[in-house]
Amino acid sequence: MANLPIVQFEKKIVETVDQNPVVVIIGETGSGKSTQLSQMLHRKGYTNSGIVSVTQPRRVAAVSVSRRVAQELGVRLGEEVGYAIRFEDRTSERTQIKYLTDGVLLRESLSNPELNQYSVIILDEAHERSLNTDILLGLMKRLVRRRASNLKVLITSATLDGEKVSKFFSDCPLLTVPGKLFPVEIFYSKERPISYLESSLKTAMGMDDIEKLVSKLEDKVRSLEEGSCMDAIILPLHGSLPPEMQVRAFSPPPPNCRRFIVATNIAETSLTVDGVVYVIDSGYVKQRQYNPATGMYSLDVVQISKVQANQRAGRAGRTRPGKCYRLYPSRVYHDDFLDVTVPEIQRSSLAGSVLYLKSLDLPDIDILKFDFLDPPSTESLEDALKQLYLIDAIDENGSITSIGRTMAELPLEPSLSRTLIEANEYGCLSQALTVAAMLSAETNLLPGRSKNNEKKRKYPPLELPDGSGFGDHIQLLQIYECWDENDYDIGWCKDYDLQMCIRQMSDMGIESDYWSSDVRVNQNQKRRQSYRNLRKALSIGFASQLAERMRHHNGFRTLGFKPQLVQVHPSSVLKPDDDGLYPNYVVYHELIATSRPYMRNVCAVERQWVIPILEKLDKLDVRKLSGGGLGHVEEITEGNKSDLLKKEAVIVTAPEEQESKIQAARERFLARKGKK
DNA sequence: GAGCACTGC
């Protein structure tokens, strides 16, 4: 600890914190900021007036860093130093330093918006720009004004965006702490390889790419002349590897043998492999993006940011001086790469986050004007509002409903929390909990579906239930039921997360009186009836993810978004009936654009359930939802005049006239919609 | 008939 670079800056850091409500710390890798900042402020006495908290984007980090700090202070973990992550709260009344995931801090601020228990909040790794961190940044900006006298906020970030964060917090002070990395020499390519996979040495991005590259490297090594170079082992490293395979990348190689680790961006931040000396950086990453106009996700190969490139290079210098080969020219790095990764908030569906913000009841609540470090597009926010309206979380004026409040409390995406609430009414809550958990927990209840397993499998594939013709949600439920009847065969799947997930949600509901009935009582209901009820609940929860079959073929048209022609994903259990047709209406869990636009996880719903949704869609008026109607009038000044006049509906009138203007705007909107 | 970057409550 004593030789960590940050320790020399203790006096300066503590002084700056004493004198300012917000401080940005630029701490390079290995500076010790994650373990030391909290201890410095503890020594300075900040733990006398509250807890010093440090947020982390990942659970493992919260656990491992708190463990180190407890060790350094010579206390037992969970006493003076503790951590809180989902499913696990290891803090006590004596806790003075608390590490937690940013998701947990957001949850806490729902029940205690002032976060009074904390004297210091440190948002660590803010440059990763996780959705939760970005929301916390906005909330912190408000909170430091309200608790100016007794709250300190520290934000740690990377060199390249420190200035921006400081500007966001009214030009707060910015301190830079050097890291403790060995020098890494950077080599650029003269040009970009035509295909990042075809040229022989490079990192890959996806599981598929990694498997291909691993076997290419193996061939190459085998074809080398005996003794012409060191022996080599080639190891894949990505998130969908089973843990025991992941571990292999971490064990040191046998003597005289070189490790080739072919990794996704999991090795960029989440995992640190010791002993890496050379890094080959393709300059690309696979990123999931959401298109708010279509409701569609896609997984795209995109250029990395400078922060990511530096992070990758840094992996070579942790144990001794290293080298990084960048498969792109330095011009590309300097001119083409963005400084910082596009924040998640600008490439995800925001329904959950908007509902969360609404449920906080901030006094001047206008979601479109919430102070984000990097605001998401208006289109994206309006998409979120539309979705929330269709599932009854907000009313036509954009105000949160009581259903919406209950939904916000549940640790699920809004469509699933809405489904649970409805299922509770219909007496099929336990089934809905199962489906929600199966969809949201990453479980492998379905035994090995990958190609490799297919080849290697000695036994015929297991007969899976067929969803009784209703689709994937029902199949998921049936799979769980089979598994349940077979006494939870652990060999068949990993069950732990799933069990925890179901238990957490059912406990939360019981404790807060959301659930009117005991979850277990429903267990013995007639299944068929519960399938129908469950599907009905799903139709309400997924009202914003509804699709209608085309009259003459099996394509579907999405309703609620700009209409998209989509297909049922081939992996779905839902198959055409005897006439060769799919059901007239389905709800889907997500739209994913791969080779074509597909609906993944679909559930057949009935026409009579769909009618109210269509009526609601007809009435939908985004302007009212976003507060652009009553009570929210932008004043025309010389400064904003030209901007405002560009907008379609500027309302600058007396309140009585507003209604009629809004009516007129609405009619125009509907007329336009009719034309399309 | 297709395909799974990575997190988090």
Side-chain angles (χ1 to χ4, degrees):
Chain A
M1 154 190 157
N3 52 13
L4 282 169
I6 199 169
V7 177
Q8 309 152 30
F9 295 84
E10 174 157 0
K11 191 158 169 270
K12 176 80 182 154
I13 290 170
V14 170
E15 266 175 28
T16 314
V17 171
D18 277 346
Q19 290 156 13
N20 296 278
V22 186
V23 179
V24 175
I25 311 268
I26 306 298
E28 288 158 23
T29 313
S31 62
K33 60 183 163 62
S34 302
T35 54
Q36 302 308 309
L37 283 173
S38 59
Q39 295 184 58
M40 291 176 186
L41 297 173
H42 167 60
R43 281 194 285 273
K44 185 67 206 309
Y46 277 98
T47 44
N48 295 330
S49 54
I51 300 170
V52 168
S53 64
V54 187
T55 71
Q56 294 290 328
R58 278 171 294 281
R59 291 188 210 163
V60 270
V63 176
S64 63
V65 179
S66 65
R67 184 169 292 147
R68 271 241 302 286
V69 172
Q71 221 169 45
E72 286 177 12
L73 290 176
V75 299
R76 275 177 50 194
L77 187 62
E79 305 270 318
E80 288 86 350
V81 177
Y83 66 86
I85 59 176
R86 187 179 186 183
F87 303 133
E88 200 183 0
D89 184 354
R90 283 194 69 181
T91 60
S92 67
E93 276 170 14
R94 295 174 56 193
T95 298
Q96 296 180 305
I97 298 177
K98 175 174 173 182
Y99 284 81
L100 69 175
T101 50
D102 36 27
V104 168
L105 188 62
L106 279 176
R107 286 282 128 187
E108 289 184 357
S109 88
L110 206 53
S111 49
N112 178 5
E114 307 272 297
L115 293 170
N116 290 310
Q117 67 273 43
Y118 300 115
S119 57
V120 177
I121 295 172
I122 302 173
L123 302 186
D124 202 6
E125 318 287 4
H127 58 272
E128 288 188 25
R129 303 298 304 274
S130 77
L131 186 51
N132 288 340
T133 307
D134 268 25
I135 291 169
L136 280 174
L137 283 170
L139 291 178
M140 288 304 126
K141 191 166 173 177
R142 303 175 68 97
L143 199 55
V144 284
R145 284 197 288 258
R146 296 182 64 88
R147 288 186 51 196
S149 59
N150 62 359
L151 175 69
K152 299 292 185 186
V153 172
L154 277 73
I155 293 137
T156 82
S157 196
T159 323
L160 285 154
D161 75 339
E163 292 284 346
K164 186 173 169 184
V165 179
S166 149
K167 200 167 278 170
F168 180 69
F169 285 100
S170 326
D171 291 308
C172 71
L174 193 154
L175 301 175
T176 301
V177 181
K180 196 186 153 194
L181 277 183
F182 293 92
V184 175
E185 212 179 331
I186 309 264
F187 301 93
Y188 290 97
S189 300
K190 287 225 174 62
E191 54 203 69
R192 279 200 148 158
I194 315 259
S195 152
Y196 65 83
L197 221 115
E198 284 308 311
S199 70
S200 66
L201 281 176
K202 57 193 73 71
T203 46
M205 292 91 53
M207 176 179 89
D208 204 35
D209 299 339
I210 282 172
E211 280 170 5
K212 279 184 211 156
L213 186 52
V214 164
S215 73
K216 273 200 155 185
L217 281 168
E218 279 169 347
D219 291 349
K220 194 100 189 170
V221 168
R222 261 195 302 266
S223 70
L224 290 172
E225 229 172 285
E226 189 87 21
S228 67
C229 75
M230 246 192 237
D231 205 3
I233 41 170
I234 296 146
L235 301 158
L237 183 58
H238 55 81
S240 26
L241 275 181
E244 63 275 16
M245 285 290 287
Q246 285 194 16
V247 171
R248 286 181 52 204
F250 291 87
S251 39
N256 261 327
C257 186
R258 172 175 282 182
R259 267 184 307 172
F260 285 83
I261 297 166
V262 187
T264 60
N265 52 333
I266 197 171
E268 204 173 277
T269 48
S270 309
L271 300 177
T272 298
V273 181
D274 272 328
V276 172
V277 185
Y278 305 99
V279 165
I280 301 161
D281 170 18
S282 68
Y284 292 105
V285 67
K286 235 177 199 172
Q287 218 167 51
R288 194 173 142 100
Q289 331 253 14
Y290 176 73
N291 180 344
T294 56
M296 199 119 52
Y297 286 95
S298 57
L299 197 59
D300 305 327
V301 174
V302 299
Q303 207 157 246
I304 57 171
S305 65
K306 292 194 182 94
V307 165
Q308 282 177 293
N310 297 347
Q311 183 67 32
R312 289 180 183 189
R315 294 312 203 183
R318 295 188 66 91
T319 38
R320 65 183 175 98
K323 290 178 178 160
C324 175
Y325 298 89
R326 291 181 168 166
L327 301 180
Y328 42 89
S330 78
R331 187 201 58 75
V332 169
Y333 172 85
H334 287 108
D335 300 347
D336 295 359
F337 282 14
L338 297 171
D339 282 350
V340 188
T341 317
V342 176
E344 208 184 338
I345 202 165
Q346 292 183 340
R347 43 187 177 86
S348 340
S349 170
L350 297 182
S353 304
V354 169
L355 179 61
Y356 171 80
L357 287 173
K358 292 253 179 201
S359 75
L360 288 179
D361 288 320
L362 306 176
D364 49 335
I365 184 156
D366 179 353
I367 280 312
L368 295 184
K369 296 228 174 71
F370 186 79
D371 201 353
F372 293 106
L373 177 56
D374 281 307
S377 66
T378 305
E379 189 179 28
S380 179
L381 290 166
E382 286 180 347
D383 159 54
L385 291 168
K386 279 199 291 195
Q387 293 195 45
L388 292 173
Y389 170 67
L390 287 171
I391 57 177
D392 315 305
I394 58 175
D395 63 21
E396 73 266 26
N397 299 311
S399 307
I400 189 165
T401 61
S402 65
I403 289 176
R405 287 191 190 282
T406 307
M407 287 166 58
E409 301 265 347
L410 293 164
L412 283 171
E413 54 188 278
S415 48
L416 286 173
S417 47
R418 180 69 185 95
T419 303
L420 291 192
I421 294 170
E422 206 62 16
N424 182 48
E425 300 288 313
Y426 302 152
C428 56
L429 179 59
S430 82
Q431 288 83 353
L433 282 168
T434 300
V435 174
M438 299 260 305
L439 284 169
S440 51
E442 265 186 44
T443 52
N444 273 340
L445 262 185
L446 306 175
R449 275 203 285 194
S450 89
K451 219 186 242 167
N452 272 354
N453 286 355
E454 215 79 50
K455 279 184 222 149
K456 288 176 197 160
R457 192 184 290 139
K458 292 175 195 158
Y459 310 102
L462 282 146
E463 279 297 320
L464 288 175
D466 65 356
S468 304
F470 297 128
D472 305 298
H473 300 75
I474 302 300
Q475 188 199 29
L476 288 174
L477 173 62
Q478 290 170 335
I479 291 170
Y480 181 86
E481 283 170 346
C482 284
W483 177 55
D484 189 25
E485 282 157 14
N486 290 312
D487 293 328
Y488 309 110
D489 180 356
I490 308 272
W492 204 50
C493 66
K494 54 174 189 185
D495 65 321
Y496 182 72
D497 288 347
L498 191 73
Q499 291 292 319
M500 290 289 279
C501 191
I502 293 177
R503 192 186 306 163
Q504 184 190 36
M505 287 183 296
S506 64
D507 286 354
M508 276 181 80
I510 291 162
E511 279 163 24
S512 337
D513 286 335
Y514 304 144
W515 309 147
S516 57
S517 52
D518 186 323
V519 174
R520 275 147 303 193
V521 171
N522 303 312
Q523 213 78 291
N524 297 323
Q525 268 192 348
K526 274 190 185 158
R527 281 205 178 135
R528 208 66 196 183
Q529 180 56 32
S530 74
Y531 290 162
R532 186 184 159 83
N533 287 339
L534 178 58
R535 288 192 302 124
K536 191 168 175 196
L538 284 163
S539 78
I540 308 267
F542 287 81
S544 60
Q545 281 142 263
L546 175 66
E548 179 182 49
R549 185 170 57 74
M550 308 304 281
R551 198 166 301 167
H552 301 296
H553 60 84
N554 269 332
F556 281 79
R557 186 179 56 170
T558 60
L559 304 168
F561 292 99
K562 205 170 79 189
Q564 300 291 304
L565 187 62
V566 296
Q567 313 281 137
V568 174
H569 196 279
S571 68
S572 175
V573 272
L574 189 71
K575 298 296 173 212
D577 63 12
D578 294 339
D579 298 325
L581 290 176
Y582 278 117
N584 289 322
Y585 291 96
V586 295
V587 289
Y588 54 82
H589 188 239
E590 67 177 0
L591 290 182
I592 171 103
T594 49
S595 55
R596 303 161 94 180
Y598 286 115
M599 298 181 280
R600 214 154 47 185
N601 290 317
V602 294
C603 175
V605 296
E606 294 183 15
R607 189 174 157 72
Q608 73 251 40
W609 307 336
V610 170
I611 292 168
I613 304 171
L614 296 178
E615 282 168 1
K616 230 177 157 182
L617 266 167
D618 267 346
K619 278 194 300 191
L620 190 139
D621 180 346
V622 194
R623 291 204 180 85
K624 260 180 113 180
L625 284 183
S626 58
L630 293 169
H632 183 81
V633 179
E634 251 181 293
E635 206 180 332
I636 292 193
T637 62
E638 275 313 305
N640 67 6
K641 196 169 174 180
S642 62
D643 262 6
L644 282 179
L645 293 178
K646 274 183 224 148
K647 292 185 186 168
E648 273 191 70
V650 185
I651 301 158
V652 210
T653 40
E656 307 87 84
E657 281 175 67
Q658 281 181 24
E659 252 309 346
S660 63
K661 292 257 179 183
I662 289 164
Q663 272 301 329
R666 216 176 105 184
E667 276 159 28
R668 281 202 303 278
F669 171 69
L670 289 175
R672 258 209 321 280
K673 226 177 74 176
K675 271 182 218 155
K676 277 178 190 168

